[in-house]
Amino acid sequence: MHGSHILTCSRRGVAAALAASSLLAVFSTATPASANTAVATVGGSKVVCASEKAGLASRLSHDIAGALGGRQDTSALALYDRKTGTTCELRADAHFDSASVVKVTVLGALLRQTEEAHRKLTPQEVKLTTAMITKSDNDATSALWHQIGSADFKKFLALADMKHTVPGSGGSWGLTQITAADELRLMQLLTTANSVLTATSRAYALDLMEHVASDQRWGVPAGSPASATVHVKNGWLPRATDGWRVHSVGAFTGSGHDYGMTALSSGNLTMDYGVATIEGAARVIHRDLTSAR
């Protein structure tokens, strides 16, 4: 598996979960005709949820709005759950500085590049991608960012239908402009069969996201069921204007779980405040999805 034998067993489990995933087009986010839609308001914006499960859309929209109500930052959120046919969005098309969550996109672009070249990752690329995702290593990211190049990075964005993502200029990968909706498309891409990334590439990416350092497992995993396999990548960046950017993206698989969520925030006075905002929303989402099963 891309030059590494250490993670074979874990990847085998991920691959099995992927094989059981829906074969529907990964980029389809249209609300099913049978879904019920509900709307709640927070900070002048709408939390819009739709679900094929009776009562779930109303519960999610109400609880997400309740969790985010009164927070002093600006947040965006997107969610899918394939088992219940559920989607939720809040400011999902608003742009944020990416910080380190863009590293999953960098990984995706590299994996696509190797597929097109009909080769495996080199030992050095395995080392760099592992450091980039599991330790959020910036130097490794910069090396891969320059290796991939602007043209192939943009090509991956187009293939992944991440049409609102704008790469940072020069070496400023952390200032890539992202949206919660595009980040959710990436989580969907990694968790279902598609023509952009092979099963081997998707399993490799998910495995790295499953093994992030313990001190970086905050954010959307908060409140997740113990039976779920958690795949996460977080990002944080303080700037002179608009405070801290704090983001978390993740997917939850295995044991009947097949959902993902992305949460972005800016205007945080501290990193901890942004983490608390994201985790408050994540907890009610996990609770509501678990109770609906």
Coordinates of all heavy atoms in Angstrom, one line a residue, residues 222-258:
A222 N -15.5 15.1 18.6 CA -16.1 15.2 20.0 C -17.5 14.7 20.0 O -18.4 15.0 19.2 CB -16.1 16.7 20.3
G223 N -17.7 13.7 20.9 CA -19.0 13.1 21.0 C -19.3 12.0 20.1 O -20.4 11.4 20.1
S224 N -18.3 11.6 19.3 CA -18.6 10.5 18.3 C -18.7 9.2 19.0 O -18.2 8.9 20.0 CB -17.4 10.4 17.3 OG -16.2 10.2 17.9
P225 N -19.5 8.3 18.4 CA -19.8 7.0 19.0 C -18.5 6.2 19.1 O -17.7 6.2 18.2 CB -20.8 6.3 18.1 CG -20.8 7.1 16.8 CD -20.3 8.5 17.2
A226 N -18.4 5.4 20.1 CA -17.2 4.6 20.3 C -17.0 3.6 19.2 O -15.9 3.1 19.0 CB -17.2 3.9 21.7
S227 N -18.1 3.2 18.6 CA -18.0 2.1 17.6 C -17.6 2.7 16.2 O -17.3 1.9 15.3 CB -19.4 1.5 17.4 OG -20.4 2.5 17.1
A228 N -17.5 4.0 16.1 CA -17.1 4.6 14.8 C -15.6 4.7 14.7 O -14.9 5.0 15.6 CB -17.7 6.0 14.6
T229 N -15.1 4.5 13.5 CA -13.7 4.7 13.1 C -13.6 6.2 12.7 O -14.3 6.6 11.8 CB -13.2 3.8 12.0 OG1 -13.3 2.5 12.4 CG2 -11.7 4.2 11.7
V230 N -12.7 7.0 13.4 CA -12.7 8.4 13.2 C -11.5 8.7 12.3 O -10.4 8.3 12.6 CB -12.5 9.1 14.6 CG1 -12.3 10.6 14.4 CG2 -13.7 8.8 15.5
H231 N -11.8 9.5 11.3 CA -10.8 10.1 10.4 C -10.9 11.6 10.4 O -11.9 12.1 10.1 CB -11.0 9.6 8.9 CG -11.4 8.1 8.8 ND1 -10.4 7.1 8.8 CD2 -12.6 7.5 8.8 CE1 -11.0 5.9 8.7 NE2 -12.3 6.2 8.7
V232 N -9.8 12.3 10.9 CA -9.9 13.7 11.1 C -8.7 14.4 10.7 O -7.6 13.9 10.6 CB -10.2 13.9 12.6 CG1 -9.0 13.5 13.5 CG2 -10.5 15.4 12.9
K233 N -8.9 15.7 10.3 CA -7.8 16.6 10.1 C -8.2 18.0 10.6 O -9.3 18.5 10.2 CB -7.3 16.7 8.7 CG -6.1 17.6 8.5 CD -4.8 17.0 9.1 CE -3.7 18.0 9.2 NZ -3.8 18.8 10.4
N234 N -7.4 18.6 11.4 CA -7.7 20.0 12.0 C -6.8 21.0 11.5 O -5.7 20.7 10.9 CB -7.7 19.9 13.5 CG -8.7 19.0 14.1 OD1 -9.8 18.9 13.5 ND2 -8.4 18.3 15.1
G235 N -7.2 22.3 11.6 CA -6.3 23.4 11.2 C -6.6 24.6 12.1 O -7.7 24.8 12.6
W236 N -5.5 25.3 12.4 CA -5.6 26.5 13.3 C -4.6 27.5 12.8 O -3.5 27.2 12.5 CB -5.4 26.1 14.7 CG -4.1 25.4 15.0 CD1 -3.0 25.9 15.5 CD2 -3.8 24.0 14.8 NE1 -2.0 24.9 15.6 CE2 -2.5 23.7 15.2 CE3 -4.6 22.9 14.3 CZ2 -1.9 22.5 15.1 CZ3 -4.0 21.7 14.2 CH2 -2.7 21.5 14.6
L237 N -5.0 28.8 12.8 CA -4.1 29.8 12.3 C -4.5 31.2 12.9 O -5.7 31.6 12.7 CB -4.2 29.9 10.8 CG -3.5 31.0 10.1 CD1 -2.0 30.8 10.2 CD2 -3.9 31.1 8.6
P238 N -3.7 31.9 13.7 CA -4.0 33.2 14.1 C -3.5 34.2 13.1 O -2.4 34.1 12.5 CB -3.1 33.3 15.4 CG -1.9 32.4 15.2 CD -2.4 31.3 14.2
R239 N -4.3 35.3 12.9 CA -3.9 36.4 12.0 C -4.3 37.7 12.7 O -5.1 37.8 13.6 CB -4.7 36.3 10.7 CG -4.4 35.0 9.9 CD -4.8 35.1 8.5 NE -3.9 35.9 7.7 CZ -4.0 36.3 6.5 NH1 -5.1 35.9 5.8 NH2 -3.2 37.1 5.9
A240 N -3.6 38.8 12.2 CA -3.8 40.1 12.8 C -5.2 40.6 12.7 O -5.7 41.3 13.6 CB -2.9 41.1 12.1
T241 N -5.9 40.2 11.7 CA -7.4 40.6 11.5 C -8.2 39.3 11.6 O -7.8 38.2 11.2 CB -7.6 41.3 10.2 OG1 -7.2 40.4 9.1 CG2 -6.8 42.6 10.1
D242 N -9.4 39.4 12.2 CA -10.3 38.3 12.3 C -9.9 37.2 13.2 O -10.4 36.1 13.0 CB -10.7 37.8 10.9 CG -12.2 37.8 10.7 OD1 -12.9 38.3 11.6 OD2 -12.7 37.3 9.6
G243 N -8.9 37.4 14.0 CA -8.6 36.4 15.1 C -8.1 35.1 14.6 O -7.5 35.0 13.5
W244 N -8.4 34.1 15.4 CA -8.0 32.7 15.0 C -8.9 32.1 14.0 O -10.1 32.2 14.2 CB -8.0 31.9 16.3 CG -6.8 32.0 17.2 CD1 -6.6 33.0 18.1 CD2 -5.6 31.2 17.3 NE1 -5.4 32.9 18.7 CE2 -4.8 31.8 18.3 CE3 -5.2 30.0 16.6 CZ2 -3.6 31.2 18.6 CZ3 -4.0 29.5 16.9 CH2 -3.2 30.0 17.9
R245 N -8.3 31.4 13.1 CA -9.1 30.5 12.2 C -8.9 29.1 12.8 O -7.8 28.6 13.0 CB -8.6 30.4 10.8 CG -9.0 31.6 9.9 CD -8.3 32.9 10.3 NE -8.4 33.9 9.3 CZ -8.3 35.2 9.5 NH1 -8.1 35.6 10.7 NH2 -8.4 36.0 8.5
V246 N -10.0 28.4 13.1 CA -10.0 27.1 13.7 C -11.0 26.2 13.0 O -12.2 26.5 12.9 CB -10.4 27.1 15.2 CG1 -10.3 25.7 15.8 CG2 -9.5 28.1 16.0
H247 N -10.5 25.1 12.4 CA -11.3 24.3 11.5 C -11.1 22.8 11.9 O -10.1 22.4 12.4 CB -10.9 24.4 10.0 CG -10.7 25.8 9.6 ND1 -11.6 26.8 9.9 CD2 -9.7 26.4 8.8 CE1 -11.2 28.0 9.3 NE2 -10.1 27.7 8.7
S248 N -12.1 22.0 11.5 CA -12.0 20.5 11.7 C -12.8 19.8 10.7 O -14.0 20.2 10.4 CB -12.5 20.2 13.1 OG -12.3 18.8 13.4
V249 N -12.3 18.8 10.0 CA -13.0 18.1 9.0 C -12.8 16.6 9.3 O -11.7 16.2 9.8 CB -12.5 18.4 7.6 CG1 -12.6 19.9 7.3 CG2 -11.1 17.9 7.3
G250 N -13.8 15.8 9.1 CA -13.7 14.4 9.4 C -14.8 13.5 8.8 O -15.8 14.0 8.3
A251 N -14.5 12.2 8.8 CA -15.4 11.2 8.3 C -15.5 10.1 9.4 O -14.5 9.9 10.1 CB -15.0 10.6 7.0
F252 N -16.6 9.4 9.4 CA -16.8 8.4 10.5 C -17.4 7.2 9.8 O -18.4 7.2 9.2 CB -17.8 9.0 11.5 CG -17.4 10.3 12.1 CD1 -17.6 11.5 11.5 CD2 -16.6 10.3 13.3 CE1 -17.2 12.7 12.0 CE2 -16.1 11.5 13.8 CZ -16.4 12.7 13.1
T253 N -16.6 6.1 9.9 CA -16.9 4.9 9.2 C -16.9 3.7 10.1 O -16.5 3.7 11.3 CB -15.9 4.6 8.0 OG1 -14.6 4.4 8.6 CG2 -15.8 5.8 7.1
G254 N -17.3 2.5 9.5 CA -17.3 1.3 10.3 C -18.4 1.1 11.2 O -19.1 2.0 11.7
S255 N -18.8 -0.2 11.5 CA -19.9 -0.6 12.4 C -21.2 0.1 12.0 O -21.9 0.5 12.9 CB -19.5 -0.3 13.8 OG -18.3 -0.9 14.2
G256 N -21.4 0.2 10.7 CA -22.7 0.8 10.3 C -22.7 2.3 10.2 O -23.7 2.9 9.8
H257 N -21.6 3.0 10.5 CA -21.5 4.4 10.4 C -20.9 4.8 9.0 O -20.0 4.2 8.5 CB -20.5 5.0 11.4 CG -20.9 4.6 12.8 ND1 -22.0 5.2 13.5 CD2 -20.3 3.7 13.7 CE1 -22.0 4.6 14.7 NE2 -21.1 3.7 14.8
D258 N -21.5 5.9 8.4 CA -21.1 6.3 7.1 C -21.5 7.8 6.9 O -22.4 8.1 6.2 CB -21.7 5.5 6.0 CG -21.2 5.7 4.6 OD1 -20.2 6.5 4.5 OD2 -21.7 5.1 3.6

